[in-house]
Coordinates of all heavy atoms in Angstrom, one line a residue:
P85 N 62.8 -41.5 114.4 CA 63.4 -41.0 113.1 C 64.0 -42.2 112.3 O 64.5 -43.2 112.8 CB 64.6 -40.2 113.6 CG 64.3 -39.8 115.0 CD 63.5 -40.9 115.6
Y86 N 63.8 -42.0 111.0 CA 64.3 -42.9 110.0 C 65.5 -42.4 109.3 O 65.4 -41.2 108.7 CB 63.1 -43.2 109.0 CG 63.5 -44.1 107.8 CD1 63.5 -45.4 107.9 CD2 63.8 -43.5 106.6 CE1 63.8 -46.2 106.8 CE2 64.1 -44.2 105.5 CZ 64.1 -45.6 105.6 OH 64.5 -46.4 104.5
I87 N 66.6 -43.1 109.3 CA 67.8 -42.5 108.7 C 68.3 -43.5 107.6 O 68.8 -44.6 108.0 CB 68.9 -42.3 109.7 CG1 68.4 -41.3 110.7 CG2 70.2 -41.8 109.1 CD1 69.3 -41.0 111.9
P88 N 68.2 -43.2 106.3 CA 68.8 -44.1 105.3 C 70.4 -43.8 105.3 O 70.8 -42.7 105.3 CB 68.2 -43.6 104.0 CG 67.7 -42.2 104.3 CD 67.5 -42.1 105.8
L89 N 71.1 -44.9 105.3 CA 72.6 -44.8 105.2 C 73.1 -45.2 103.8 O 72.7 -46.2 103.3 CB 73.2 -45.7 106.3 CG 72.9 -45.5 107.7 CD1 73.5 -46.5 108.6 CD2 73.4 -44.1 108.1
S90 N 74.0 -44.4 103.3 CA 74.6 -44.7 102.0 C 76.0 -45.0 102.2 O 76.6 -45.7 101.4 CB 74.4 -43.6 101.0 OG 74.9 -42.4 101.5
N91 N 76.6 -44.4 103.2 CA 78.1 -44.7 103.5 C 78.3 -44.8 105.0 O 78.7 -43.8 105.6 CB 78.9 -43.5 102.9 CG 80.4 -43.7 103.0 OD1 80.8 -44.6 103.7 ND2 81.1 -43.0 102.3
P92 N 78.0 -45.9 105.6 CA 78.0 -46.0 107.1 C 79.4 -45.7 107.7 O 79.4 -45.1 108.8 CB 77.7 -47.5 107.3 CG 77.1 -48.0 106.1 CD 77.6 -47.1 104.9
E93 N 80.4 -45.9 107.0 CA 81.8 -45.6 107.6 C 81.9 -44.1 107.9 O 82.5 -43.7 108.9 CB 82.9 -46.0 106.6 CG 83.0 -47.5 106.4 CD 82.1 -48.0 105.3 OE1 81.4 -47.2 104.6 OE2 81.9 -49.3 105.3
K94 N 81.3 -43.3 107.0 CA 81.4 -41.8 107.3 C 80.2 -41.3 108.1 O 80.3 -40.3 108.7 CB 81.4 -41.1 105.9 CG 82.7 -41.3 105.2 CD 82.8 -40.5 103.9 CE 84.1 -40.8 103.2 NZ 84.2 -40.0 102.0
Q95 N 79.1 -42.0 108.1 CA 77.8 -41.5 108.7 C 77.6 -42.0 110.1 O 76.9 -41.4 110.8 CB 76.6 -41.9 107.8 CG 76.6 -41.3 106.4 CD 75.5 -41.9 105.6 OE1 75.5 -43.1 105.3 NE2 74.6 -41.1 105.1
M96 N 78.2 -43.1 110.5 CA 77.9 -43.6 111.8 C 78.2 -42.7 113.0 O 77.4 -42.7 114.0 CB 78.5 -45.0 112.0 CG 77.8 -46.1 111.3 SD 76.0 -46.1 111.5 CE 75.9 -46.5 113.3
E97 N 79.3 -42.0 113.0 CA 79.7 -41.2 114.1 C 78.6 -40.1 114.3 O 78.1 -40.0 115.5 CB 81.0 -40.6 114.0 CG 81.4 -39.8 115.3 CD 82.8 -39.3 115.2 OE1 83.6 -39.6 114.3 OE2 83.1 -38.5 116.2
P98 N 78.2 -39.4 113.3 CA 77.1 -38.4 113.5 C 75.8 -39.1 113.9 O 75.0 -38.5 114.7 CB 77.0 -37.6 112.2 CG 78.1 -38.1 111.3 CD 78.8 -39.2 112.0
V99 N 75.5 -40.2 113.3 CA 74.3 -40.9 113.7 C 74.3 -41.4 115.1 O 73.3 -41.2 115.8 CB 74.0 -42.1 112.7 CG1 72.9 -43.1 113.2 CG2 73.7 -41.7 111.3
L100 N 75.4 -41.9 115.6 CA 75.5 -42.3 117.0 C 75.3 -41.1 117.9 O 74.7 -41.2 119.0 CB 76.9 -43.0 117.3 CG 77.0 -44.3 116.7 CD1 78.5 -44.8 116.8 CD2 76.1 -45.3 117.3
N101 N 76.0 -40.0 117.5 CA 75.8 -38.7 118.3 C 74.4 -38.3 118.4 O 73.8 -37.9 119.4 CB 76.7 -37.6 117.8 CG 78.2 -37.9 118.0 OD1 78.6 -38.7 118.8 ND2 79.0 -37.3 117.2
F102 N 73.7 -38.3 117.2 CA 72.3 -37.9 117.2 C 71.4 -38.9 118.0 O 70.5 -38.5 118.8 CB 71.8 -37.9 115.8 CG 70.3 -37.6 115.6 CD1 69.8 -36.3 115.9 CD2 69.4 -38.6 115.3 CE1 68.5 -36.1 115.8 CE2 68.0 -38.4 115.3 CZ 67.6 -37.1 115.5
C103 N 71.7 -40.2 117.9 CA 70.9 -41.2 118.7 C 71.1 -40.9 120.2 O 70.1 -40.9 120.9 CB 71.4 -42.6 118.4 SG 70.5 -43.9 119.2
E104 N 72.3 -40.6 120.7 CA 72.5 -40.4 122.1 C 71.8 -39.1 122.5 O 71.1 -39.0 123.6 CB 74.0 -40.2 122.4 CG 74.3 -40.4 123.8 CD 74.0 -41.7 124.4 OE1 74.1 -42.7 123.8 OE2 73.6 -41.7 125.6
A105 N 71.8 -38.0 121.7 CA 71.1 -36.8 122.0 C 69.6 -36.9 121.9 O 68.9 -36.4 122.7 CB 71.6 -35.7 121.0
W106 N 69.1 -37.7 121.0 CA 67.7 -37.9 120.8 C 67.1 -38.7 122.0 O 66.1 -38.4 122.5 CB 67.5 -38.7 119.5 CG 66.0 -39.0 119.2 CD1 65.4 -40.2 119.3 CD2 65.1 -38.1 118.7 NE1 64.1 -40.1 118.9 CE2 63.9 -38.8 118.5 CE3 65.0 -36.8 118.3 CZ2 62.7 -38.3 118.0 CZ3 63.9 -36.2 117.9 CH2 62.7 -37.0 117.7
G107 N 67.9 -39.7 122.5 CA 67.5 -40.4 123.7 C 66.5 -41.6 123.4 O 66.1 -42.2 124.4
D108 N 66.1 -41.8 122.2 CA 65.2 -42.9 121.8 C 65.8 -43.6 120.6 O 66.7 -43.1 120.0 CB 63.8 -42.3 121.4 CG 62.9 -42.1 122.6 OD1 63.2 -42.6 123.7 OD2 61.8 -41.5 122.4
P109 N 65.3 -44.8 120.3 CA 65.8 -45.5 119.2 C 65.6 -44.8 117.8 O 64.7 -43.9 117.7 CB 64.9 -46.8 119.2 CG 64.4 -46.9 120.6 CD 64.2 -45.5 121.0
L110 N 66.5 -45.1 116.9 CA 66.4 -44.6 115.5 C 66.3 -45.8 114.6 O 66.7 -46.9 115.0 CB 67.7 -43.9 115.1 CG 68.3 -42.8 116.0 CD1 69.6 -42.4 115.5 CD2 67.3 -41.7 116.0
I111 N 65.7 -45.6 113.5 CA 65.6 -46.7 112.5 C 66.6 -46.4 111.4 O 66.6 -45.3 110.8 CB 64.2 -46.8 111.9 CG1 63.2 -47.0 113.0 CG2 64.1 -47.9 110.8 CD1 61.8 -46.7 112.7
L112 N 67.5 -47.3 111.2 CA 68.5 -47.1 110.1 C 68.2 -48.1 109.0 O 67.7 -49.2 109.2 CB 69.9 -47.5 110.7 CG 70.4 -46.8 111.9 CD1 71.8 -47.3 112.3 CD2 70.4 -45.3 111.7
D113 N 68.5 -47.6 107.8 CA 68.2 -48.4 106.6 C 69.5 -48.4 105.8 O 70.0 -47.3 105.3 CB 67.1 -47.8 105.8 CG 66.7 -48.7 104.6 OD1 67.4 -49.6 104.2 OD2 65.5 -48.5 104.1
Y114 N 70.1 -49.6 105.6 CA 71.3 -49.7 104.7 C 71.1 -50.9 103.8 O 70.8 -52.0 104.3 CB 72.5 -49.9 105.6 CG 73.8 -50.0 104.8 CD1 74.2 -49.0 104.0 CD2 74.5 -51.2 104.9 CE1 75.4 -49.1 103.3 CE2 75.7 -51.3 104.2 CZ 76.1 -50.3 103.4 OH 77.3 -50.4 102.7
N115 N 71.3 -50.7 102.5 CA 71.1 -51.8 101.6 C 69.7 -52.5 101.7 O 69.6 -53.7 101.7 CB 72.2 -52.8 101.6 CG 73.5 -52.3 101.1 OD1 73.5 -51.4 100.2 ND2 74.6 -52.9 101.5
S116 N 68.7 -51.7 101.9 CA 67.3 -52.2 102.1 C 67.2 -53.1 103.3 O 66.2 -53.9 103.4 CB 66.9 -53.0 100.8 OG 66.9 -52.1 99.7
R117 N 68.0 -52.9 104.2 CA 68.0 -53.7 105.5 C 67.7 -52.7 106.6 O 68.5 -51.8 106.9 CB 69.3 -54.4 105.7 CG 69.2 -55.3 106.9 CD 70.4 -56.2 107.0 NE 70.3 -57.1 108.0 CZ 71.3 -57.9 108.4 NH1 72.4 -57.8 107.9 NH2 71.1 -58.7 109.4
K118 N 66.6 -52.9 107.3 CA 66.3 -51.9 108.4 C 66.9 -52.5 109.8 O 66.8 -53.7 110.0 CB 64.8 -51.7 108.5 CG 64.3 -51.0 107.3 CD 62.9 -50.7 107.4 CE 62.4 -49.9 106.2 NZ 62.9 -50.2 104.9
M119 N 67.4 -51.5 110.5 CA 68.0 -51.9 111.8 C 67.5 -50.8 112.8 O 67.3 -49.7 112.5 CB 69.5 -51.9 111.8 CG 70.1 -52.9 110.8 SD 71.8 -52.5 110.3 CE 71.5 -51.5 108.9
I120 N 67.5 -51.2 114.1 CA 67.1 -50.3 115.2 C 68.4 -50.0 116.0 O 69.1 -50.9 116.4 CB 66.0 -50.8 116.0 CG1 64.7 -50.9 115.2 CG2 65.8 -49.9 117.2 CD1 63.6 -51.6 116.0
L121 N 68.7 -48.7 116.2 CA 69.8 -48.3 117.0 C 69.2 -47.6 118.2 O 68.4 -46.7 118.1 CB 70.7 -47.4 116.2 CG 71.9 -46.8 116.9 CD1 72.9 -47.8 117.3 CD2 72.6 -45.7 116.1
M122 N 69.6 -48.1 119.4 CA 69.0 -47.4 120.6 C 70.2 -47.0 121.5 O 71.2 -47.7 121.6 CB 68.0 -48.4 121.3 CG 68.6 -49.6 121.9 SD 67.3 -50.6 122.8 CE 66.4 -51.2 121.4
P123 N 70.0 -45.9 122.2 CA 70.9 -45.5 123.2 C 71.0 -46.5 124.3 O 70.0 -47.1 124.7 CB 70.4 -44.1 123.7 CG 69.3 -43.7 122.8 CD 68.9 -45.0 122.1
F124 N 72.2 -46.5 124.9 CA 72.4 -47.5 126.0 C 71.5 -47.2 127.2 O 70.9 -48.1 127.8 CB 73.9 -47.4 126.5 CG 74.2 -48.5 127.4 CD1 74.2 -49.8 127.1 CD2 74.7 -48.1 128.7 CE1 74.5 -50.8 128.0 CE2 75.0 -49.1 129.6 CZ 75.0 -50.4 129.3
A125 N 71.2 -45.9 127.5 CA 70.4 -45.6 128.6 C 68.9 -46.1 128.3 O 68.2 -46.5 129.2 CB 70.4 -44.1 128.9

């Protein structure tokens, strides 16, 4: 999943919860910078 972020301070908690539930990495985009967020497991 690709998730564009416009307000990370408000969006990160739901994004982290989704990432953990999804169980696989997510692609985040903030200020045209792409990052990969992966669950610890």
Side-chain angles (χ1 to χ4, degrees):
Y86 172 83
I87 301 175
L89 299 174
S90 57
N91 187 346
E93 293 83 12
K94 292 183 179 178
Q95 294 172 300
M96 281 311 294
E97 185 174 352
V99 168
L100 290 170
N101 291 339
F102 177 74
C103 184
E104 196 63 35
W106 180 257
D108 273 351
L110 307 176
I111 301 162
L112 305 180
D113 188 342
Y114 179 63
N115 285 339
S116 299
R117 186 173 185 188
K118 292 185 178 40
M119 299 162 268
I120 295 176
L121 176 66
M122 69 179 68
F124 188 61

